[in-house]
Amino acid sequence: MTDPLDQLRNDIKIRSAGSDSFELRAFVEEFASRLEDADVAYDIVSEPLQCRGPRGRVLSLLGYSEDATDASLTILVGKYFDGEGTVTLGDANDIFGRGADFLQLAADGWLAENLEPSSREAEYADYFRHRLPSVARLRLLLITDGVMSERIRTIPNSIVADRPASYAIWDRNRILAAATPQTGDEAMHIDMTKWLPDGLQCLVAADSGSSTQSYLAVLPGRLLADVFEEYGSQLLESNVRTYLSARGAVNRGIQQTLAHKPEMFLAFNNGLTTTATDVELVTLRKGTFIRSIENWQIVNGGQTTASLVHFLRGDSKRSVDDVFVQMKLVTVSSENAAEVVADVSKYANSQNRVSAADLFSNHEFHVLMEQTSRRLRAPAREGEQYQTGWYYERSRGQWENDKVARGSAAEQKKFELEYPKSQRLVKTDWAKYASSWGQRPHTVSKGAQTNFIEYAHQVVATWEKDPNQFGDAYFKNNVAKAILFNDLHKAVRESAWYGKGYLANIVAYGVAKLAHEIPRQFPGSRLNFDAIWARQSTSQTLLGAALVMAERAQEHLTDPRRKQANVTQWAKQEFCWTTFRDASVPLPRDLAVDLIDADAATSQASDDKKQRRMDSGFEAIQRVLKVAPAVWEAVHSSSGDVRLSPMESDLVAGFGLRKGRVPTERQAAALLKALDRMAEGAVISKDTY
């Protein structure tokens, strides 16, 4: 069984590709990725910076993340040991101080006056100086591959650049624990008696005997605002957090109500739907009260909460003493919290304007990609004697869990040969590969989560028109895009012309430019993704052409005449992409060997759709045949609001209640639609078919 610590160290080495000069950045990127997986921060920009401050004081930070939902700025600082090491309290204070001083000196203009203007440190100092006025709170996270000293208990909050700042240490033990499904996100304990002496009065729904329990309550606006100020967007379920970060957290209508009719807020607002893993109740003569809540999560009503806090921040004289918010609270067990919270979020948000794309993490598209990835085997690479699989990871930690489930060390080793860690496809990376080739490098540059939700809108729109477009060819093509992206990433890093920084932006822009130029310079042709899939690598000709695009991308992104000083922020602008897209960059003519006739590609796509329809038909028949007799009995005897049509009743009687008969594809599809409707009406459970 692979030791998690060894795996962490190995993942850092893989990212650095054996280059010592990139090992610090690889460490930051690996920890940033894991922090994003743990929902600690979103769209982290990995950017190691170091300079000198007054009297030679060392200033440094490793990256940052902005969260529009709670107007917070997260700063990564840290220590990379590349082996064993311990972070003492003195070390922690020094490391945090280097990051805090960078922000402070950026805010007061000292860095702008004293650093070389062309340096990345000066560039970011200028960016933070202009961003800090809109930041409400700072979070400094210390990351390290060492361990935190047991003597460190707490690091008190402070004020940095006139902003409240909190501090947290993420050592290797904490980052590894966050990857464990049973551990998951950080625990939150909300003590209601801090605001209400008896706790929060509530109504308890009748006990249905299930693993969930529901409560109804009315929250004082001040309590909700204070909790959000303390925990920020950690209080929001991940889908809701991503949605608000991408769309904006503040609702003008809510602001108007708070300003002019606060006493009507309860009447006008839909309130919150929330979940928790536990609540502490006390029964008094006046009724039942919630004294504390464990792991409170807002799954519907995040915009209400964020707007409430934004209203208070706008003017210190404002008050929400007359504001109350209705709340439904559902407790879920720790064992199935992730699944139940996702379902509560899905159904709560299906009643408002949060679209299917905003809840894309739970979409059946991912189930299909997962199934396809387990079924298809990639051709053996040149010199290798066995085929491998590209493992689509539908949920966090799935690859590791499947490996451990194999049991013995020998079986786990066999799993790693079958599905190499380097061929693990994380959902956000999958979206990055598709969006880069889809000529949206500016969206990719906005960060993994923001790009993911933009990609979701495209996929959901296509899925609703015709889900058969997502067949084997779609999967293979996107794997080919992943191979091209990663090969280019490695080649750029090893190129003599590559300077420090902006690697991810350069690669995304290089791939997008290549995608744009091929049909323009080779009319009637497309890139032959099948050839990349067959080789499981990028040809030297194609890689050479992509490198030309990437080199020009670096020149464009770092051009002194660019419209925005900060390169990372410049790369996020659509204007940055369109000006680069329209620039003339010739491709080598010998690239033609890597191309395919566009008409042939279209015909191939059509054939794949037909095959997908056939596969879908067979899958529908198999699903129907696996449904248990008791489920068919419940469906057939349903007499409530949800009933079968006469045609559906005949089908259930003929193929569900009578065993041994096999429906046609069309009959199977009709039966599945009937089962879907019965599940929505709570006649049966979704997981019974």
PDB file of all heavy atoms in Angstrom, residues 29 167 406:
ATOM      1  N   GLU A  29       2.171  24.424  -6.276  1.00  0.00           N
ATOM      2  CA  GLU A  29       1.058  24.003  -7.130  1.00  0.00           C
ATOM      3  C   GLU A  29       0.366  22.765  -6.578  1.00  0.00           C
ATOM      4  O   GLU A  29      -0.865  22.663  -6.625  1.00  0.00           O
ATOM      5  CB  GLU A  29       1.571  23.740  -8.549  1.00  0.00           C
ATOM      6  CG  GLU A  29       1.971  25.001  -9.300  1.00  0.00           C
ATOM      7  CD  GLU A  29       2.550  24.706 -10.675  1.00  0.00           C
ATOM      8  OE1 GLU A  29       2.784  23.505 -10.972  1.00  0.00           O
ATOM      9  OE2 GLU A  29       2.769  25.657 -11.446  1.00  0.00           O
ATOM     10  N   TYR A 167      -4.809  33.506  10.563  1.00  0.00           N
ATOM     11  CA  TYR A 167      -3.647  32.700  10.217  1.00  0.00           C
ATOM     12  C   TYR A 167      -3.959  31.222  10.416  1.00  0.00           C
ATOM     13  O   TYR A 167      -4.602  30.842  11.396  1.00  0.00           O
ATOM     14  CB  TYR A 167      -2.446  33.092  11.087  1.00  0.00           C
ATOM     15  CG  TYR A 167      -2.085  34.556  10.990  1.00  0.00           C
ATOM     16  CD1 TYR A 167      -2.701  35.505  11.812  1.00  0.00           C
ATOM     17  CD2 TYR A 167      -1.149  34.996  10.069  1.00  0.00           C
ATOM     18  CE1 TYR A 167      -2.389  36.855  11.716  1.00  0.00           C
ATOM     19  CE2 TYR A 167      -0.819  36.347   9.966  1.00  0.00           C
ATOM     20  CZ  TYR A 167      -1.445  37.268  10.790  1.00  0.00           C
ATOM     21  OH  TYR A 167      -1.136  38.596  10.680  1.00  0.00           O
ATOM     22  N   ARG A 406      -8.288  -2.337  -3.796  1.00  0.00           N
ATOM     23  CA  ARG A 406      -7.743  -3.543  -4.418  1.00  0.00           C
ATOM     24  C   ARG A 406      -7.156  -4.506  -3.379  1.00  0.00           C
ATOM     25  O   ARG A 406      -6.926  -5.676  -3.679  1.00  0.00           O
ATOM     26  CB  ARG A 406      -6.667  -3.173  -5.437  1.00  0.00           C
ATOM     27  CG  ARG A 406      -7.206  -2.456  -6.684  1.00  0.00           C
ATOM     28  CD  ARG A 406      -8.020  -3.390  -7.559  1.00  0.00           C
ATOM     29  NE  ARG A 406      -8.517  -2.732  -8.761  1.00  0.00           N
ATOM     30  CZ  ARG A 406      -7.948  -2.822  -9.964  1.00  0.00           C
ATOM     31  NH1 ARG A 406      -6.835  -3.520 -10.122  1.00  0.00           N
ATOM     32  NH2 ARG A 406      -8.473  -2.206 -11.001  1.00  0.00           N
TER      33      ARG A 406
END
